[in-house]
Amino acid sequence: MPRSFLVKKPSSTRVPNYGQLETRRQGKEGRNGLRPGRTAPGSLWDHNSAIACLSPPLPQSSEAKGEPTSISQVGSGSSPGGSWDSATPLRDNQNNLNLPLAFSLFQRRTPNLGSPAEGNGDKLQGPQGIAADPLETFECPDCRKAYSTFSGLARHRQQRCKLQATTARKYFNCKHCDKEYASLGALKMHIRTHTLPCMCKICGKAFSRPWLLQGHIRTHTGEKPYACSHCSRAFADRSNLRAHLQTHSDIKKYQCHTCLKTFSRMSLLLRHEETACCPAAT
DNA sequence: CTGGGGATGGGGCCC
DNA sequence: AGGGCCCCATCCCCA
């Protein structure tokens, strides 16, 4: 699922406590840690794991469109008893059944004398002329229902897959770009980034969210409600306060894995890697 | 070249 | 369903 990388936080973590920003941050960096197209940067706490977890990089949403990915989509179609969908990413398999491959993934089992069978009128035959043992049955990996013929099972699977295609594989596509979302709400939220319904009355600049506009208005009013507890500075944006708090920390989390120099922000590390230290390595 | 602030974008969660 | 908020991230600019 597209949201599989999210970990639902306990509500208590919503209490603002900037003294805990460092610890809360750790372990969540991977959620959305990399801009599309960026290489995984090294860092003191996640460099090794980033190599393991982020390589190969996750496919982008635009690339993922039309083809299920190993993480986001294939899993939804897999079945506990078999691997019809997971091993054969057939997006339209109800109409274009890849029989040779799919057949090899069925669980063929020997006599099941008590199980019901369908398609008794069919000759026992597998795909591509595979000679079926009269004593064998063909079992659906999903519901364990047994069929005496492959064609009976295939018919059963096709009808099931039609249902699955209309329920589990429902996506909402953005008409403005290639992105697709699992929920209508998520899509509506995304569409706001195209329509930009929130306009600043002072300068006319438009934003996708009201609170983005709120933050922008602070640039006009000069309001800075987020004060640093370590110094006298204040900020209009919480994220900027968070970044500022890094300057009070001696720990620089982001490390260049070429020269081992450390940086307080990922953007500084990226800039260092791309320009100063090892531009060819990126 | 580096450090840091300012501004902003975007997806998800909670109410 | 929508608003508010959280968190993460990036880009730009300046010292």
Side-chain angles (χ1 to χ4, degrees), chain A residues 79-84 102-110 136-142 144-147 153:
Chain A
S79 59
S83 51
W84 174 284
F103 176 75
S104 66
L105 299 166
F106 277 127
Q107 294 181 352
R108 300 180 76 179
R109 68 182 191 186
T110 46
E136 276 188 331
T137 61
F138 298 85
E139 183 182 271
C140 176
D142 282 342
R144 296 294 186 192
K145 194 170 182 178
Y147 294 85
L153 173 59

Side-chain angles (χ1 to χ4, degrees), chain A residues 39-227:
Chain A
T39 56
S43 67
L44 288 179
W45 85 90
D46 73 347
H47 174 58
N48 291 333
S49 61
I51 293 174
C53 297
L54 297 179
S55 180
L58 291 176
Q60 304 308 306
S61 58
S62 59
E63 295 170 2
K65 184 181 181 183
E67 280 296 327
T69 67
S70 61
I71 291 178
S72 64
Q73 293 170 39
V74 165
S76 65
S78 62
S79 59
S83 51
W84 174 284
D85 288 329
S86 59
T88 58
L90 300 172
R91 191 172 181 89
D92 194 20
N93 55 359
Q94 71 270 28
N95 293 321
N96 187 21
L97 195 62
N98 190 350
L99 286 177
L101 189 54
F103 176 75
S104 66
L105 299 166
F106 277 127
Q107 294 181 352
R108 300 180 76 179
R109 68 182 191 186
T110 46
N112 181 359
L113 300 177
S115 64
E118 280 188 10
N120 289 336
D122 294 337
K123 291 284 186 183
L124 287 175
Q125 58 179 22
Q128 293 191 329
I130 296 175
D133 186 332
L135 296 178
E136 276 188 331
T137 61
F138 298 85
E139 183 182 271
C140 176
D142 282 342
C143 65
R144 296 294 186 192
K145 194 170 182 178
Y147 294 85
S148 62
T149 65
F150 176 80
S151 60
L153 173 59
R155 191 165 54 239
H156 160 77
R157 292 288 305 179
Q158 286 179 345
Q159 291 176 356
R160 281 180 60 88
C161 287
K162 277 182 182 177
L163 289 175
Q164 290 169 356
T166 57
T167 56
R169 297 245 176 130
K170 189 166 186 176
Y171 292 98
F172 299 91
N173 294 290
C174 176
K175 61 182 177 183
H176 302 285
C177 67
D178 289 339
K179 291 194 174 182
E180 60 181 19
Y181 294 86
S183 73
L184 186 59
L187 173 62
K188 283 183 175 179
M189 186 63 69
H190 165 75
I191 287 178
R192 294 176 72 100
T193 67
H194 294 294
T195 59
L196 301 176
C198 308
M199 182 174 289
C200 176
K201 292 178 180 177
I202 300 173
C203 68
K205 188 170 171 60
F207 298 86
S208 60
R209 318 267 187 92
W211 61 269
L212 276 174
L213 172 60
Q214 252 180 351
H216 166 76
I217 289 177
R218 291 196 192 109
T219 67
H220 293 302
T221 64
E223 182 191 5
K224 294 182 176 180
Y226 301 100

